[in-house]
C-alpha cells in the first residue's frame, strides 16, 4: 500500500541559498525510492508516495539525502495530506480574501514550543503581527500595509524550535494538489 505525503524543505531557493532545480529535487526523491514525485513552485514543496507510513523516518532519510547533495543540512518536514488539512483548519486568521487586507503564513515546527517560548512569542504581537500556535504549527498574520515594513522576527530563535513557513496561498494549493 502506498502512502501520500508532502515534504516541506526549509530554505530551498530562498535568498540565493541552497539553489536546486526542481527536476533535480524530484530525482533525489526518486533516488530515495519514493514515487509519484511532484513539486510545487521553487521553494521546496514536494508531493510524493512512499511504501511505508513513517513520516519521521522519511524526513530523516530525505534530510540525509539532501545533506549529501547540497553539502549542508536541509531540514525536511513530512506531513500527510490529512495533517496539512488539519493545520489549515486551525488557522484563526480568516484566510478567505486575505490578500486584500492581510497576509497569513503557517510555520510548520519541529516540535510544539514550550510555555516560556510561547509566551516570549506572544509578547512580540503588535500592530504589525498577530500570532497563534496550535500544536507544532505557528500561524502569523500581518496587515498588507506592512508588506516590506514589518519587523523581522527570527521565529525559530524565539520559539526554540526549527520550522519552515509557507504563505496561505501555497498551503491552500498544496491541499488542493494532495487531494
Amino acid at each position: 500500500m502506498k502512502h501520500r505525503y508532502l515534504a516541506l524543505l526549509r530554505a530551498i531557493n530562498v535568498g540565493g541559498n541552497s539553489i536546486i532545480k526542481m527536476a533535480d529535487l524530484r530525482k533525489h526523491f526518486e533516488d530515495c525510492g519514493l514515487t509519484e514525485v511532484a513539486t510545487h513552485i521553487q521553494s521546496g514543496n514536494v508531493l510524493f508516495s512512499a511504501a511505508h507510513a513513517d513520516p519521521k523516518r522519511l524526513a530523516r532519510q530525505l534530510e540525509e539525502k539532501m545533506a549529501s547533495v547540497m553539502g549542508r543540512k536541509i531540514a525536511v518536514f513530512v506531513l500527510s495530506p490529512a495533517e496539512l488539512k488539519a493545520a489549515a483548519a486551525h488557522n484563526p486568521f480568516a484566510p478567505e480574501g486575505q490578500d486584500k487586507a492581510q497576509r497569513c503564513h503557517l510555520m510548520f515546527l519541529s516540535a510544539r514550543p514550550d510555555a516560556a517560548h510561547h509566551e516570549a512569542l506572544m509578547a512580540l504581537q503588535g500592530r504589525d503581527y498577530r500570532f497563534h500556535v496550535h500544536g507544532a504549527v505557528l500561524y502569523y498574520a500581518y496587515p498588507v500595509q506592512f508588506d516590506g515594513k514589518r519587523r523581522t522576527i527570527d521565529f525559530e530563535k524565539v520559539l526554540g524550535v526549527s520550522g519552515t513557513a509557507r504563505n496561505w496561498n501555497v498551503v491552500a494549493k498544496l491541499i488542493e494538489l494532495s487531494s
Side-chain angles (χ1 to χ4, degrees):
M1 179 173 155
K2 289 190 177 184
H3 304 273
R4 196 74 175 144
Y5 289 103
L6 170 68
L8 303 175
L9 284 71
R10 185 182 180 283
I12 291 290
N13 295 342
V14 176
N17 298 311
S18 301
I19 304 300
I20 186 167
K21 293 179 180 175
M22 292 301 97
D24 293 339
L25 184 58
R26 288 188 295 272
K27 172 139 181 17
H28 297 316
F29 272 61
E30 290 166 353
D31 291 346
C32 291
L34 306 173
T35 60
E36 302 174 81
V37 179
T39 55
H40 173 64
I41 64 175
Q42 300 290 315
S43 58
N45 306 300
V46 185
L47 294 141
F48 64 94
S49 294
H52 59 86
D54 186 347
K56 290 186 192 285
R57 183 174 136 204
L58 287 166
R60 281 191 308 273
Q61 177 186 13
L62 291 166
E63 285 177 349
E64 289 170 8
K65 178 66 172 179
M66 295 311 299
S68 73
V69 297
M70 301 298 287
R72 70 177 195 86
K73 182 176 173 23
I74 303 290
V76 179
F77 298 80
V78 175
L79 304 166
S80 70
E83 289 171 315
L84 185 64
K85 286 177 188 172
H90 285 97
N91 187 346
F93 297 121
E96 298 80 24
Q98 59 98 20
D99 280 339
K100 293 178 178 78
Q102 72 176 358
R103 302 281 188 244
C104 179
H105 297 258
L106 280 67
M107 185 172 198
F108 298 89
L109 306 171
S110 59
R112 180 184 198 131
D114 64 32
H117 284 96
H118 182 267
E119 187 176 313
L121 173 73
M122 299 314 278
L124 296 173
Q125 288 191 109
R127 288 183 13 190
D128 57 343
Y129 276 113
R130 293 179 296 144
F131 307 117
H132 177 74
V133 177
H134 180 82
V137 181
L138 162 64
Y139 304 83
Y140 62 97
Y142 54 89
V144 170
Q145 70 195 44
F146 286 105
D147 270 347
K149 301 174 205 155
R150 66 190 189 284
R151 292 173 289 160
T152 300
I153 297 174
D154 183 341
F155 291 113
E156 291 176 311
K157 184 176 180 180
V158 173
L159 292 172
V161 295
S162 63
T164 188
R166 299 298 185 271
N167 70 43
W168 178 254
N169 294 335
V170 170
V171 170
K173 185 65 176 181
L174 291 172
I175 289 170
E176 177 187 322
L177 293 171
S178 67
S179 295

